[in-house]
Amino acid sequence: EAGVVQSPRYKIIEKKQPVAFWCNPISGHNTLYWYLQNLGQGPELLIRYENEEAVDDSQLPKDRFSAERLKGVDSTLKIQPAELGDSAVYLCASSQDMNTGELFFGEGSRLTVL
Amino acid sequence: QKEVEQDPGPLSVPEGAIVSLNCTYSNSAFQYFMWYRQYSRKGPELLMYTYSSGNKEDGRFTAQVDKSSKYISLFIRDSQPSDSATYLCAITGGTSYGKLTFGQGTILTVHP
């Protein structure tokens, strides 16, 4: 069974440029998460989807971040415009059983903003 | 105060040592407790999962939860160089159902 797939793995951009990350979850997993992981820190939730619905986006900086999950499968996370402080790893995860919190993570998209 | 506190280490031990990793948490409603392992430049992967208080053993790994003290532990016996990674505790439950809250992570190095 294929795991969670993310792309791109690495991205370097100038500040104020836009950037987008893509995630394909494990087949059959209805719950999808985007987490932000800064260097030396644990992952922090940005947004959680149940199928197409964003059920928790309270930590998403909505002035510059947006996300969508069309047809309840793939998801895209966008930053526009990017700031220096956005340099981090953006992790996508999916889950079949939301209540236990057992998540399957992708390898992450590492963003560097210059 | 953070919901989950974890000593970031780093922790360096010789091969074969017993390793103890710990986290404390503040919300008594949390019910599910997990340990994730994260190798360099990889995503976290689930290592151990426990529900409520007690111990759970899986090979060389033992997870321990003490809800009265809001304290969780992971013990690694006969540690191996391949255990070198960052270990993240994660908690969910109560009104936070479906949202995993992670600790900072402890960097572990097991040297031959």
Side-chain angles (χ1 to χ4, degrees):
Chain A
E1 179 182 88
V4 176
V5 179
Q6 290 188 246
S7 68
R9 287 293 316 278
Y10 303 92
K11 189 74 175 180
I12 301 174
I13 61 172
E14 298 281 336
K15 63 180 180 182
K16 300 185 180 179
Q17 293 298 305
V19 63
F21 305 113
W22 174 82
C23 173
N24 178 241
I26 293 173
S27 177
H29 285 194
N30 296 327
T31 309
L32 183 145
Y33 309 75
W34 283 102
Y35 276 86
L36 165 72
Q37 187 172 27
N38 286 303
L39 187 64
Q41 301 295 318
E44 299 173 29
L45 182 69
L46 288 173
I47 189 167
R48 172 166 64 98
Y49 283 93
E50 281 299 322
N51 298 305
E52 299 94 349
E53 183 183 0
V55 296
D56 185 353
D57 63 354
S58 57
Q59 301 302 311
L60 189 71
K62 298 181 183 64
D63 57 336
R64 298 184 301 105
F65 286 66
S66 64
E68 61 182 9
R69 190 182 184 197
L70 298 176
K71 300 181 181 179
V73 181
D74 294 359
S75 178
T76 303
L77 177 70
K78 297 178 181 178
I79 308 174
Q80 183 171 11
E83 297 179 352
L84 295 176
D86 296 331
S87 296
V89 176
Y90 293 83
L91 292 163
C92 180
S94 68
S95 173
Q96 191 171 38
D97 186 348
M98 177 185 75
N99 290 336
T100 65
E102 187 171 353
L103 272 58
F104 296 84
F105 283 86
E107 292 193 316
S109 293
R110 183 177 297 269
L111 174 66
T112 301
V113 182
L114 302 176
Chain B
Q1 180 188 11
K2 290 186 176 181
E3 285 190 297
V4 182
E5 300 273 4
Q6 183 176 6
D7 185 341
L11 192 59
S12 181
V13 302
E15 184 175 354
I18 296 174
V19 176
S20 173
L21 304 167
N22 310 292
C23 286
T24 59
Y25 63 95
S26 57
N27 188 342
S28 58
F30 286 135
Q31 298 169 287
Y32 301 94
F33 307 91
M34 285 138 281
W35 286 94
Y36 280 77
R37 178 174 62 194
Q38 186 174 24
Y39 291 114
S40 180
R41 298 186 178 271
K42 299 290 187 181
E45 56 179 352
L46 183 66
L47 192 61
M48 296 284 287
Y49 156 72
T50 55
Y51 171 71
S52 198
S53 283
N55 292 359
K56 182 175 182 179
E57 188 173 318
D58 184 1
R60 296 184 295 109
F61 299 89
T62 300
Q64 198 171 74
V65 175
D66 182 351
K67 291 194 73 177
S68 62
S69 302
K70 300 190 184 69
Y71 194 84
I72 64 173
S73 302
L74 178 71
F75 299 96
I76 307 174
R77 292 184 299 279
D78 187 26
S79 56
Q80 302 295 309
S82 59
D83 295 328
S84 299
T86 297
Y87 290 80
L88 298 151
C89 62
I91 303 177
T92 191
T95 57
S96 297
Y97 256 5
K99 172 185 174 180
L100 234 55
T101 300
F102 285 87
Q104 184 177 354
T106 300
I107 300 171
L108 171 67
T109 301
V110 181
H111 49 87

